[in-house]
Amino acid sequence: NEPVVYVGLSYCTGIWPPGPKVTDQLAQLNCMTNPKIGALRAQMNMVAAHKQVYSMIHAHESSIGRARHAPVGIAHLVMFSEASRPVLDSQSKLFLDSYSKYFFVDLVKSHIDFCGLNYYGKEVVEGMAAGFKADQIEYSGSGRGIFPSGLFALIADFHARYKDDPQARFMQPGGIGYVITENGVADATDILRPSYIIEHLLALSALRTRGIPVAGYVHWTLTDNWEWAD
């Protein structure tokens, strides 16, 4: 679940265990891109573990004679990103998009039966950090920009990238396609939530109408949610 988030917040910022906290942006960038340390090394270990477990599960299913194997996938966080300052932040946006959207999926695409995507909204990129545009974007209680159209755009982009990729197991015969493994809004008032759910489901309906295989949707969450940093 959210491997890129886990390794980034654990190793590159230290917000999650094991820490320690890292505030220098050059150190954070090195953590994300140096294959010998930090987040990138952790991701490569997670990829290797995922592939081993995938093969073990499918081998077990075959050994007990199941005609259809239990599907194995990932739950990968994606966001619709926008450069805060079109000139100054466009390169940061490009780097973060490549790193956070496709890098991990590219490494495991041959070993996932479905591509699970967690989507909450729009993130403004300012340097190597998150920006804030309260005058232009409606935000949830957790500070995420509400943007249902971004869900449509992201899955359409993923599909354009992987639909003809022979190594993308989830797009091959027997593959399941895409599952929205998390989508929801922090809203203590319950004012935003009804329209948020409806508009995101409409985005998925529009994708399915266009023939993009969205196989499932999981709303997150029905109860209060506590994370490592809460």
Side-chain angles (χ1 to χ4, degrees):
N1 179 60
E2 298 188 355
V4 180
V5 176
Y6 172 73
V7 297
L9 294 184
S10 297
Y11 293 96
C12 297
T13 66
I15 295 174
W16 288 356
K21 287 190 175 182
V22 180
T23 58
D24 181 79
Q25 289 194 350
L26 288 178
Q28 292 174 352
L29 183 62
N30 184 52
C31 174
M32 296 168 66
T33 57
N34 188 335
K36 296 182 179 181
I37 64 168
L40 189 54
R41 182 178 180 183
Q43 279 194 76
M44 300 309 294
N45 288 335
M46 293 170 78
V47 167
H50 172 88
K51 289 182 176 180
Q52 287 183 337
V53 172
Y54 178 95
S55 298
M56 290 170 60
I57 292 173
H58 279 264
H60 173 72
E61 298 283 279
S62 296
S63 71
I64 61 177
R66 287 190 177 172
R68 183 174 177 84
H69 293 168
V72 180
I74 56 174
H76 176 58
L77 180 69
V78 290
M79 66 190 97
F80 186 91
S81 60
E82 173 185 296
S84 177
R85 300 159 296 184
V87 176
L88 295 177
D89 298 315
S90 59
Q91 292 303 310
S92 293
K93 176 188 178 302
L94 180 63
F95 168 74
L96 291 172
D97 278 353
S98 300
Y99 181 83
S100 64
K101 288 180 184 176
Y102 302 121
F103 179 71
F104 190 86
V105 178
D106 282 346
L107 293 174
V108 299
K109 63 186 179 182
S110 61
H111 287 71
I112 51 176
D113 302 311
F114 66 89
C115 182
L117 299 175
N118 299 352
Y119 176 81
Y120 292 100
K122 177 186 286 190
E123 298 284 351
V124 176
V125 178
E126 193 167 296
M128 290 296 291
F132 197 70
K133 291 186 174 182
D135 59 331
Q136 301 177 30
I137 301 172
E138 183 176 38
Y139 285 92
S140 71
S142 61
R144 284 187 164 120
I146 298 174
F147 193 55
S149 299
L151 178 59
F152 178 94
L154 281 167
I155 296 182
D157 287 348
F158 265 74
H159 193 59
R161 185 181 183 92
Y162 295 113
K163 65 179 180 178
D164 298 320
D165 186 342
Q167 293 185 337
R169 173 72 185 87
F170 62 97
M171 294 304 303
Q172 301 307 309
I176 295 172
Y178 302 94
V179 175
I180 306 308
T181 37
E182 288 185 24
N183 176 249
V185 62
D187 177 23
T189 66
D190 275 337
I191 294 174
L192 302 174
R193 184 169 289 108
S195 60
Y196 181 99
I197 294 173
I198 291 170
E199 289 170 1
H200 283 81
L201 290 176
L202 286 172
L204 297 181
S205 177
L207 289 163
R208 288 167 61 92
T209 299
R210 287 161 175 77
I212 297 177
V214 179
Y217 172 89
V218 179
H219 180 68
W220 185 262
T221 175
L222 295 178
T223 61
D224 290 339
N225 186 47
W226 292 92
E227 300 282 359
W228 278 109
D230 291 332

